[in-house]
Amino acid sequence: MFKRHPLNPLITTHSFNPSRPDFEIVGTFNAGATTYNGEVLLLVRVAERPVQTDPDVVLCPYLEDDGELILKPFSRADERYDTSDSRLVVDRHTGATLLTSISHIRLARSQDGVHFQGEHQPWLSPTPPYENFGAEDARVTQIDDIYYVNYSAVSAHGISTALASTTDFKTANRLGIIFPPANRDMTLFPQRINGQYVAYHRPMPSGFGRLNIWIATSPDLVHWGEHQIVMQASNDGWDSGRIGGGAPPVWTEKGWLSIYHAADHQNRYCLGAFLTPLDEPGRIIAHSPKPILTPEAPYETNGFFSNVVFTCGSILQGDLLRVYYGASDQVMALAEASVNDVLASLEPVS
Amino acid sequence: MFKRHPLNPLITTHSFNPSRPDFEIVGTFNAGATTYNGEVLLLVRVAERPVQTDPDVVLCPYLEDDGELILKPFSRADERYDTSDSRLVVDRHTGATLLTSISHIRLARSQDGVHFQGEHQPWLSPTPPYENFGAEDARVTQIDDIYYVNYSAVSAHGISTALASTTDFKTANRLGIIFPPANRDMTLFPQRINGQYVAYHRPMPSGFGRLNIWIATSPDLVHWGEHQIVMQASNDGWDSGRIGGGAPPVWTEKGWLSIYHAADHQNRYCLGAFLTPLDEPGRIIAHSPKPILTPEAPYETNGFFSNVVFTCGSILQGDLLRVYYGASDQVMALAEASVNDVLASLEPVS
């Protein structure tokens, strides 16, 4: 049903310049998508790390609370720290963790939705005290004339969902933490429903609880409540490890169509789809029993974190649903389908 | 500074009758406190378990989503399940967990704040789908003529913070999940500040992040936002494991006084205190460098879960601050101090 674009991957680590001369880009992925002034805009997560000059030392980028970005060196020979995972450095005594990369949000623009031009400067740079490890996985939703961008704010305080707004894609107006840790994968509906703003989100419980999709409402986009479970991970199969929101819901005559992600216990990330009534966004009436996209192409099965397809945004043009997705936590790709074919493929949920 | 009441513990497992003839009460603790119609009311967490008739079988109470309370038997000889922790049964394959007890909220009434009469029926019974494992740790805050009761909703979906309201302490009007999992230890301020309702809460991050006290605001008590860190666990000592809200903040001329709980890495729970300006509840200006109450009395050092003092409510009568607290997750006790002595003992925070 979904066809990968022949020019995939559309965006790679070479599509942008690093934000600092001593940094290198390791990933350009998990981009929010929207149209603005006749262009397709992707809000790309750009993950960078310090250029490593000494193979015996790991340099961790860290944003201090005063706003200074410092590079903390850790000797691989120092037994106080575990440097075996290339993504992190862990203090063996306290468990405190630093990341080896830091992400910001960068714009890429396109006339045709296929050929993208990366901007030279970050659009949203991580800011203390809730983004000291980075700003990740932006999703964008247009409501009236305002574009709302939610993203993961990652710091030693946890992974939270933060919100910003823009009308020009030049400045970002930060609206703060709207879902406290641990929470990510928020997808905001493009209109009020029954008088309220509505979003899916994905709490990450500790102790009891699994990684499921919840819904919440808001009178003002800043304050959220009426939290309820919408969809649960299954007991086995492709969606047994975790599920979470993907692209913000798309309006169709049949109802709200959501493309979401699901992973199994081997951390293989696929995409699925579900449908809710237009006036009942918390009630799933149809879903995809099998994934609608699985990691198969080389850029999906082999990368920074392999076997991942993960969407943060789609664009509907007539009958054409264009799903932009991150592949193996490294590059951006595009898969396209007829939205009516997608809707027809869904199976009713009793 | 704080003096334990000579009649402690004021409430024990014998203060109430079980809610069912086949249940026994294992804990009466962590009670919210308020005054109503000239009486002191405690909203006690009553933990019950099925009377165990066969020593080789563990019976787990579980509320089905259809509302039926069933008793699931697990043979201690069945190697599929880990029954070594008396509080839980864990499926060794899936990690799924059931509790061996289930909690509800019960009222106890007193004329003098010391001699309490337990009610015969639950005031708030756990209700599916977010309380299948129980309703725990109620805290009550009076705002105008309405009493708001927040509590921990515990189910396989995680530990969430739920809100209810009452005007008569007969019926409870449920307002749903206001902080999604994992979250507990909410303490609601007794008045709007700068036009907004305000509460502390305690997210439990998974992965990054520690167990710290956050603040949030709300226009309507149902929708919450503007989440910010207020106080962090320390790196070592009595408050290095976790901290969380205790009694709802008390108005004093010097500012909002909060009694909170803190535990070290050995899960020894103490009480501390901090102060904020009346118009800036997110900014701590003074705090207790040492605990104001530590587990020392026999009922605090030895019980269902030993070495715990944990408050969910206090009552200020003139200069007398009465802190009601759960001791060793089993009984309710009272400690009293001059509020001016407590305020004078706090050290300024720069």
Side-chain angles (χ1 to χ4, degrees):
Chain A
M1 183 168 54
F2 274 94
K3 289 194 178 142
R4 289 170 178 81
H5 198 281
L7 292 182
N8 276 352
L10 302 186
I11 292 177
T12 72
T13 56
H14 305 292
S15 301
F16 301 94
N17 57 311
S19 67
R20 290 164 48 134
D22 55 342
F23 273 17
E24 62 185 352
I25 295 175
V26 293
T28 52
F29 58 116
N30 296 4
T34 192
T35 54
Y36 175 74
N37 274 357
E39 288 185 319
V40 173
L41 289 189
L42 294 184
L43 286 75
V44 184
R45 170 177 171 189
V46 173
E48 298 175 298
R49 69 178 174 198
V51 175
Q52 311 277 326
T53 52
D54 182 344
D56 296 331
V57 173
V58 181
L59 287 174
C60 286
Y62 181 77
L63 191 62
E64 299 268 22
D65 275 344
D66 65 7
E68 186 184 2
L69 186 64
I70 61 170
L71 308 182
K72 287 195 181 177
F74 296 92
S75 165
R76 292 188 190 276
D78 189 336
E79 292 188 351
R80 288 175 298 173
Y81 302 100
D82 181 353
T83 59
S84 60
D85 185 326
S86 66
R87 297 172 299 175
L88 3 130
V89 172
V90 181
D91 184 314
R92 292 184 198 274
H93 177 60
T94 66
T97 300
L98 284 181
L99 300 187
T100 57
S101 66
I102 185 166
S103 292
H104 65 264
I105 309 300
R106 191 91 68 101
L107 293 183
R109 297 171 183 274
S110 174
Q111 295 295 326
D112 60 4
V114 173
H115 299 84
F116 283 90
Q117 183 71 40
E119 293 206 339
H120 291 303
Q121 297 296 327
W123 179 73
L124 188 137
S125 293
T127 301
Y130 301 108
E131 302 165 12
N132 304 47
F133 292 175
E136 305 178 354
D137 299 358
R139 292 173 170 92
V140 55
T141 298
Q142 181 184 359
I143 303 180
D144 304 326
D145 293 334
I146 302 177
Y147 294 78
Y148 292 95
V149 178
N150 59 272
Y151 59 96
S152 299
V154 185
S155 77
H157 298 310
I159 302 171
S160 309
T161 295
L163 186 66
S165 68
T166 188
T167 52
D168 56 11
F169 285 99
K170 290 172 186 161
T171 56
N173 173 33
R174 287 169 190 265
L175 300 169
I177 302 294
I178 57 173
F179 296 115
N183 194 291
R184 66 192 321 169
D185 298 328
M186 171 190 180
T187 56
L188 175 62
F189 283 72
Q191 59 182 240
R192 294 176 192 80
I193 300 171
N194 303 321
Q196 301 252 55
Y197 296 100
V198 181
Y200 299 130
H201 63 104
R202 213 282 300 284
M204 290 174 275
S206 57
F208 302 117
R210 299 182 64 193
L211 299 171
N212 296 326
I213 298 175
W214 290 58
I215 195 170
T217 68
S218 174
D220 56 10
L221 289 163
V222 169
H223 301 89
W224 291 85
E226 298 192 298
H227 302 275
Q228 297 189 330
I229 287 259
V230 173
M231 187 181 220
Q232 302 187 47
S234 71
N235 287 324
D236 44 34
W238 64 285
D239 56 351
S240 57
R242 55 180 60 196
I243 59 174
V250 169
W251 188 97
T252 76
E253 288 187 354
K254 299 281 178 62
W256 292 108
L257 175 64
S258 287
I259 311 292
Y260 69 101
H261 72 262
D264 62 17
H265 287 289
Q266 283 71 48
N267 282 321
R268 180 175 180 259
Y269 280 73
C270 298
L271 298 183
F274 65 79
L275 188 74
T276 74
L278 291 172
D279 59 349
E280 283 184 89
R283 183 167 70 87
I284 293 175
I285 52 176
H287 85 299
S288 56
K290 292 185 297 185
I292 59 170
L293 197 73
T294 59
E296 290 168 11
Y299 48 89
E300 297 162 353
T301 57
N302 190 13
F304 187 77
F305 193 82
S306 299
N307 288 312
V308 172
V309 293
F310 188 100
T311 184
C312 293
S314 66
I315 291 175
L316 182 59
Q317 296 173 326
D319 182 55
L320 181 66
L321 182 64
R322 302 183 118 176
V323 175
Y324 294 92
Y325 64 99
S328 37
D329 278 11
Q330 187 167 323
V331 298
M332 280 302 299
L334 169 61
E336 298 174 317
S338 151
V339 72
N340 280 313
D341 286 354
V342 175
L343 290 170
S345 76
L346 302 182
E347 293 190 359
V349 175
S350 61
Chain B
M1 181 168 53
F2 273 94
K3 289 193 178 143
R4 289 171 178 80
H5 198 280
L7 292 181
N8 276 352
L10 302 186
I11 293 177
T12 72
T13 56
H14 305 292
S15 301
F16 300 95
N17 58 311
S19 67
R20 292 165 47 135
D22 55 343
F23 273 17
E24 61 185 353
I25 294 176
V26 293
T28 53
F29 58 118
N30 296 3
T34 192
T35 53
Y36 176 74
N37 274 357
E39 287 185 321
V40 173
L41 289 189
L42 294 184
L43 286 76
V44 185
R45 170 177 171 188
V46 173
E48 299 175 298
R49 70 179 175 198
V51 176
Q52 312 278 326
T53 52
D54 182 344
D56 296 330
V57 173
V58 181
L59 287 175
C60 287
Y62 181 78
L63 191 61
E64 298 269 20
D65 275 344
D66 65 7
E68 186 185 3
L69 186 63
I70 62 170
L71 307 181
K72 286 193 180 179
F74 295 91
S75 165
R76 293 188 189 276
D78 189 335
E79 293 189 349
R80 290 176 297 174
Y81 303 100
D82 181 353
T83 58
S84 61
D85 185 327
S86 66
R87 297 172 299 173
L88 356 138
V89 172
V90 180
D91 185 313
R92 293 184 198 272
H93 177 60
T94 67
T97 300
L98 284 181
L99 300 187
T100 58
S101 66
I102 186 167
S103 292
H104 65 265
I105 309 300
R106 192 91 67 103
L107 294 182
R109 297 171 184 274
S110 174
Q111 295 295 327
D112 61 5
V114 173
H115 299 84
F116 283 90
Q117 183 71 39
E119 293 207 338
H120 291 302
Q121 297 296 327
W123 178 73
L124 187 136
S125 294
T127 300
Y130 301 109
E131 302 165 13
N132 304 46
F133 291 175
E136 305 178 352
D137 298 357
R139 292 173 170 93
V140 55
T141 298
Q142 180 183 0
I143 303 180
D144 304 327
D145 293 334
I146 302 177
Y147 294 79
Y148 292 94
V149 178
N150 58 273
Y151 59 97
S152 298
V154 185
S155 76
H157 298 309
I159 302 170
S160 309
T161 295
L163 186 66
S165 68
T166 188
T167 52
D168 56 11
F169 285 99
K170 290 172 185 161
T171 56
N173 173 33
R174 286 168 191 266
L175 299 169
I177 302 294
I178 57 172
F179 296 116
N183 193 291
R184 65 191 321 167
D185 298 328
M186 172 190 178
T187 56
L188 175 62
F189 284 72
Q191 59 181 241
R192 294 175 193 79
I193 300 171
N194 304 320
Q196 300 252 56
Y197 297 100
V198 181
Y200 299 131
H201 63 104
R202 213 282 300 281
M204 290 174 273
S206 57
F208 302 117
R210 299 181 64 191
L211 299 171
N212 296 327
I213 297 176
W214 291 58
I215 194 170
T217 68
S218 174
D220 56 10
L221 290 164
V222 169
H223 301 90
W224 291 85
E226 298 191 298
H227 302 275
Q228 297 189 328
I229 288 259
V230 173
M231 186 181 221
Q232 301 187 48
S234 72
N235 287 323
D236 44 35
W238 63 286
D239 56 352
S240 57
R242 56 181 61 196
I243 58 175
V250 169
W251 188 97
T252 77
E253 287 186 356
K254 299 279 179 64
W256 292 109
L257 175 64
S258 288
I259 311 292
Y260 68 102
H261 72 263
D264 61 17
H265 287 289
Q266 284 71 49
N267 281 321
R268 179 173 181 261
Y269 281 73
C270 298
L271 297 183
F274 65 80
L275 187 73
T276 74
L278 291 172
D279 60 349
E280 283 184 90
R283 183 167 71 87
I284 293 175
I285 53 177
H287 86 299
S288 56
K290 292 185 296 183
I292 59 170
L293 196 73
T294 58
E296 290 168 12
Y299 49 88
E300 297 163 353
T301 57
N302 190 13
F304 187 77
F305 193 82
S306 299
N307 288 313
V308 172
V309 293
F310 188 101
T311 183
C312 292
S314 65
I315 291 174
L316 182 60
Q317 296 173 327
D319 182 56
L320 181 65
L321 182 64
R322 301 184 118 176
V323 176
Y324 294 92
Y325 63 100
S328 3
D329 278 10
Q330 187 168 326
V331 298
M332 280 303 299
L334 169 61
E336 298 174 317
S338 150
V339 72
N340 280 313
D341 286 354
V342 176
L343 290 170
S345 74
L346 302 183
E347 292 190 359
V349 174
S350 60

